[in-house]
Amino acid sequence: MRAKLFLAVSAVVAIAVIAVVAGCAARSGASGSASSGASSYKRVTQEEAQQMMESESGYVIVDVRRQNEFDAGHIPGAICIPNESIGKEQPAELPDFDQLIMVYCRSGNRSRQAAEKLANMGYSNVVEFGGINTWPGEVVTD
């Protein structure tokens, strides 16, 4: 009886571990698409973001850190729209729902949150590329 109970508990634990690992694996990776329901945004590496900045035109770079963080150093040409200010209404600085919007923050956490909120709002071309703390390109200060 004990052996059967042990096997049953072991099977449940194994299934739970597999589910957690599979869920984490689905979320990891530098590049790919992240989605929540019908909306999605694209995650790219910082090197891919640099290449996009060199080859694309008409895009906007959005720094979603607070204004004081932005003032301390940001990617050239970026605008500051703090993640905390992005709600359910369209930001005035982003009038075009089809424009390429490239989003970053300090480490990548707030940029993922902001990218998801923008995608949920209906923005169709949102790219998230992590944080300025590992940005290999130029950084300017005000």
Side-chain angles (χ1 to χ4, degrees), residues 59-72:
Y59 60 85
V60 62
I61 304 168
V62 179
D63 185 323
V64 296
R65 299 174 298 155
R66 292 181 299 278
Q67 187 67 48
N68 64 322
E69 295 173 290
F70 178 84
D71 293 343

Side-chain angles (χ1 to χ4, degrees), residues 101-129:
I101 301 171
M102 303 182 74
V103 182
Y104 75 95
C105 64
R106 183 186 60 82
S107 66
N109 185 40
R110 288 179 280 181
S111 59
R112 285 188 294 275
Q113 293 172 9
E116 184 167 339
K117 288 192 272 186
L118 292 170
N120 286 337
M121 248 184 263
Y123 288 93
S124 62
N125 201 4
V126 179
V127 173
E128 185 272 325
F129 63 97

Side-chain angles (χ1 to χ4, degrees), residues 48-117:
E48 290 170 322
Q50 281 184 309
Q51 291 171 354
M52 291 174 77
M53 291 174 193
E54 293 170 5
S55 64
E56 299 286 334
S57 63
Y59 60 85
V60 62
I61 304 168
V62 179
D63 185 323
V64 296
R65 299 174 298 155
R66 292 181 299 278
Q67 187 67 48
N68 64 322
E69 295 173 290
F70 178 84
D71 293 343
H74 58 271
I75 294 173
I79 62 172
C80 182
I81 305 176
N83 179 44
E84 298 81 10
S85 73
I86 300 172
K88 296 190 185 291
E89 294 186 27
Q90 175 184 8
E93 302 90 341
L94 303 173
D96 184 353
F97 281 90
D98 296 320
Q99 180 180 27
L100 173 57
I101 301 171
M102 303 182 74
V103 182
Y104 75 95
C105 64
R106 183 186 60 82
S107 66
N109 185 40
R110 288 179 280 181
S111 59
R112 285 188 294 275
Q113 293 172 9
E116 184 167 339
K117 288 192 272 186

Side-chain angles (χ1 to χ4, degrees), residues 19-40:
V20 168
V21 170
C24 291
R27 291 188 203 189
S28 68
S31 293
S33 181
S35 64
S36 174
S39 62
S40 67

Side-chain angles (χ1 to χ4, degrees), residues 127-140:
V127 173
E128 185 272 325
F129 63 97
I132 197 167
N133 63 352
T134 56
W135 179 246
E138 183 181 359
V139 174
V140 296

